Structures are given as C-alpha cells and as structure tokens.
C-alpha cells in the first residue's frame, strides 16, 4: 500500500470508523438547528434553559441537600448561564470547567437609531466585536433582541427569520461609482458610520417632516407596541438573516453565522447532557461579551465564575472565601473557543507546521495573544501532558494550533480570565474557515471530535 502523505495521515475522516462518521453527520443536523434558533446570547440562553429543564437540571435554589448526580442550572441577566453535574468527589477539591462564549460579532442598533434621508428610513448601527465591515453589506439582515419599555414591559423582537417575513439590509455602493473607494485601504473603505440599514421607503401621507420615518414608527407601534424613545432601553442586534447550511457535495462541512463560538457552546452543552455522574463536579459555562474583551457584568472579567462556584459551594456548606478560592485554584478548565484554520486562499498568513487545519480534529491551542504572546494564557506543559493522554486514551482526534504566523495579527480568549484563579486551563476547540464572517465554515468531523473531547474532559481527573 502506498504511504499516506502528511495531509492524509492527519485527516480525521480517514481515522474515523464508518459508525463514527454517521454519528458526526447526525450530530451536525442538531447543531445546525441550534445555530438557526440561537443567533444572540439571549436566544442561546433561552435555548439552553429549555434543554436543561427537559434533561432534569434544576435551579440551584430548588436543590436541597446537594448529592452526586444532581443536575443544576444557573443563570445571570439572561445572557450567561451554567449547567452543573455534581460529582462524587468533594467540591472542595475543585471542578472540571468548560467555558465557551455565546456572543457573536454583529451590528447593534444605536440608542437613537431611526432617521430619514433621501426618502428612505434608516437605522444607525454600532458594530460589536471584530468585523470586516464589507461583509455586512448587501446581505439580508434580521433584527433580534429585546426592548424594555419605560414601564418595564419587555418586548421580544425577532424580525426576518421566517421565510416570508421581511428583512433589513445595508445597500453597498455600486461599482460604477466606487472608483475612489476601491483605491482606499480595506479598513478605511467602509466607515462605521455608513453601516446604516434600510427599514422603509414608503411615506405615511404627504404632510409633516420625515414621513417615511413616521410610517416606520407607526409600523413598529403596530407590530411591537413600541415608540421611538423605547430604542433607548433596548438591545437590538442585526444578524445575518440566512440559515446555516450543509457545505460541500459531500456535506462534510457546516456553513453558518455565529459558529465562533456556538460550535464550542453546543458541543460542551451536549457533552454535559450526555455524561454519567462524574468523579469531579462538571460545569459547562456559556459566557457573554467575549468578543468585546469579556467586559461587563455578563462577561468573564466580572468574576462570575467565582460567583457561580461560590453559589454551589455555599449550597454544599463551604461558602467561605478561602475554601472557594482554593477549590477554584485546584480546578481544571478548557477554554472552549475556536481557532483559525489554514486557508488555501491565503497561505501567506499561516505557518503550516503549527497552525490548525479543517478536518484534522479538535485543536489544542497552548497560547493565543499577539505581539509576543501578549494578553495570552500560556498553558502549562504539565497540564497539556494530561490532556494529550486523556484525548489519546479516548480516541479523540486532535491537532495543535497557533493562530496564524507570528505577528500576522493575533487574538485572545477567556483563558486568561479563568487562569486568574490559579486553575489549569488550555484553549481547546475546532478550527474554522472565515471566522467572524457572516458565514463561517466548520468541519463535521471536527465538530464531533470536539464533542468527544469535552465529554472525555468532564469525565476525567478523578482524584
Ligand atoms: Mn471565540
Ligand atoms: Mn471571536
């Protein structure tokens, strides 16, 4: 038989059994459904809460007498949540934590978004997270989010997802008049202030100033019972209106919005739903605000990990600060986030010996960061050795991955924020093509291997 080349030797599809390949394809169908139902962090939390309930997870305050096998659900502000399965081991010895994020780059509406210009109704936006602005032009956009009226009434908005519902969009400049624009640097060619979305063009009557805006307001009033001032206490997000799809003639890939980092959120979620009572207590934490630096009270810089663990330990009778801190320091974590797969269209920014590839399994990323590992967690080799062994013992197909060439750019994850507590942590998740674009690409083999990796991790490190 011919010796396999390096590329094929590492290909996950060739290492998986036929049974496992079938399982991966089936898993991807559920994953695609999740991507289509949860395009914002609030929708992801709603989805997770329902699924957790259906699987017997209970809010902490309904649990008396915590014991191994108990399933607990925790949540804050409707935008960050955790599922916990209590293990046999004493909580004071620490937990196995997998933390992913459920926020995604998008266009947020400004607090005063609506205006009229040239007979068109428009919505001003302020982008959230790292986007390439041109990718948000000339695509159908859906509007998701919540409006809190002055009296506290909450209105849920989801516009543009049903096939026959309307969509919004940001029109792009025609090439005929883009001579000057096309000569500009890509970063400068589209201004943040030009990301204004079309929301109407038909005036209401022929009197008064801004008749199109007036008509839009009337329609908003009819559809949602909101008025213009209500935008000031709202969280409304423009996201791609199209659905996630199978990609490739072999259907081996998933294309869709928000796979950074819902691919890790979904695989971690499924892993914790599927484990038996573990030795160490397992926690699947789904966090918000990663894309803007984990700031805010639903991001991981808010010490919410500490609060969730303290809540659990308080329930178990060990709520004092020292014991909580010690348990956190003795914990193990996977920072479940994606890496950038080597893209054959852009070979210049990758270093193929150390970067990750689509279809070669879940990626262990020792460090992220930029400009000399700045702002990175650099995982300890002692911990990496344990993880390698764990993955190999559980037939998890995995690869190493550094994000691109040195000084090609860089990025960060939440690993550094959980590392603060002294726990061991390493970045671990699949690689994507087109990360942060409205249509990111993942491999179904990697998706399945990520699930297997997380499940093995939750069941591991018994003392
Ligand atoms: Mn991410
Ligand atoms: Mn990201």
């Amino acid at each position: 038989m011919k010796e396999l080349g390096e590329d094929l030797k590492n290909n996950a599809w060739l290492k998986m059994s036929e049974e496992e390949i079938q399982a991966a394809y089936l898993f991807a169908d559920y994953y695609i459904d999740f991507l289509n139902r949860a395009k914002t962090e609030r929708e992801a939390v709603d989805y997770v809460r329902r699924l957790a309930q259906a699987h017997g997870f209970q809010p902490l305050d309904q649990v008396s007498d915590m014991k191994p096998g108990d399933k607990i659900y925790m949540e804050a502000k409707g935008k960050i949540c955790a599922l916990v399965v209590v293990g046999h081991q004493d909580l004071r010895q620490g937990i196995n934590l997998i933390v992913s994020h459920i926020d995604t780059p998008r266009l947020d509406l400004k607090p005063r978004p609506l205006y009229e210009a040239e007979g068109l109704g428009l919505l001003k936006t302020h982008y959230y997270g790292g986007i390439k602005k041109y990718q948000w032009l000339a695509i159908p956009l859906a509007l998701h989010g919540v409006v809190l009226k002055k009296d506290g009434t909450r209105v849920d908005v989801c516009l543009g997802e049903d096939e026959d519902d309307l969509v919004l969009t940001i029109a792009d400049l025609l090439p005929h008049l883009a001579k000057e624009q096309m000569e500009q640097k890509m970063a400068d060619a589209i201004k943040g202030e030009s990301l204004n979305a079309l929301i109407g063009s038909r005036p209401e009557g022929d009197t008064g100033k801004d008749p199109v805006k007036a008509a839009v307001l009337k329609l908003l009033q009819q559809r949602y019972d909101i008025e213009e001032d209500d935008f000031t206490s709202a969280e409304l997000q423009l996201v791609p209106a199209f659905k996630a799809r199978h990609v490739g003639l072999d259907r081996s890939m998933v294309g869709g919005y928000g796979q950074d980092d819902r691919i890790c959120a979904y695989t971690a979620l499924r892993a914790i739903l599927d484990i038996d009572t573990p030795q160490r207590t397992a926690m699947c934490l789904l966090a918000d605000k990663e894309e803007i630096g984990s700031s805010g009270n639903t991001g991981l810089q808010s010490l919410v990990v500490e609060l969730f663990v303290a809540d659990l330990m308080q329930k178990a009778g060990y709520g004092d600060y020292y014991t909580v801190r010690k348990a956190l320091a003795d914990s193990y974590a996977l920072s479940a986030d994606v890496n950038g797969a080597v893209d054959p269209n852009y070979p210049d920014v990758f270093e193929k010996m150390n970067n990750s590839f689509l279809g070669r399994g879940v990626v262990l990323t020792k460090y992220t960061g930029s400009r000399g590992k700045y702002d990175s967690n650099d995982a300890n080799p002692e911990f990496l050795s344990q993880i390698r062994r764990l993955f190999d013992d559980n037939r998890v197909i995995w690869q190493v991955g550094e994000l691109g060439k040195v000084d090609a750019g860089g990025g960060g994850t939440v690993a550094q924020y959980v590392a603060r507590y002294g726990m061991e942590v390493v970045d671990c998740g699949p690689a994507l093509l087109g990360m942060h674009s409205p249509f990111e690409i993942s491999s179904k083999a990697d998706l399945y291997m990520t699930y297997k990796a997380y499940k093995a991790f939750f069941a591991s490190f018994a003392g």
Side-chain angles (χ1 to χ4, degrees), residues 100-103 105 259-262 264 290-291 336-339 412-414 432 435-436 440:
S100 58
H101 67 92
I102 46 177
D103 63 316
Q259 298 202 65
D260 172 9
D261 184 35
R262 300 213 180 95
C264 295
E290 193 278 338
E291 296 295 357
D337 211 339
V338 296
N339 204 321
T413 65
V414 299
L432 301 181
M435 195 206 293
H436 280 211
E440 302 172 305

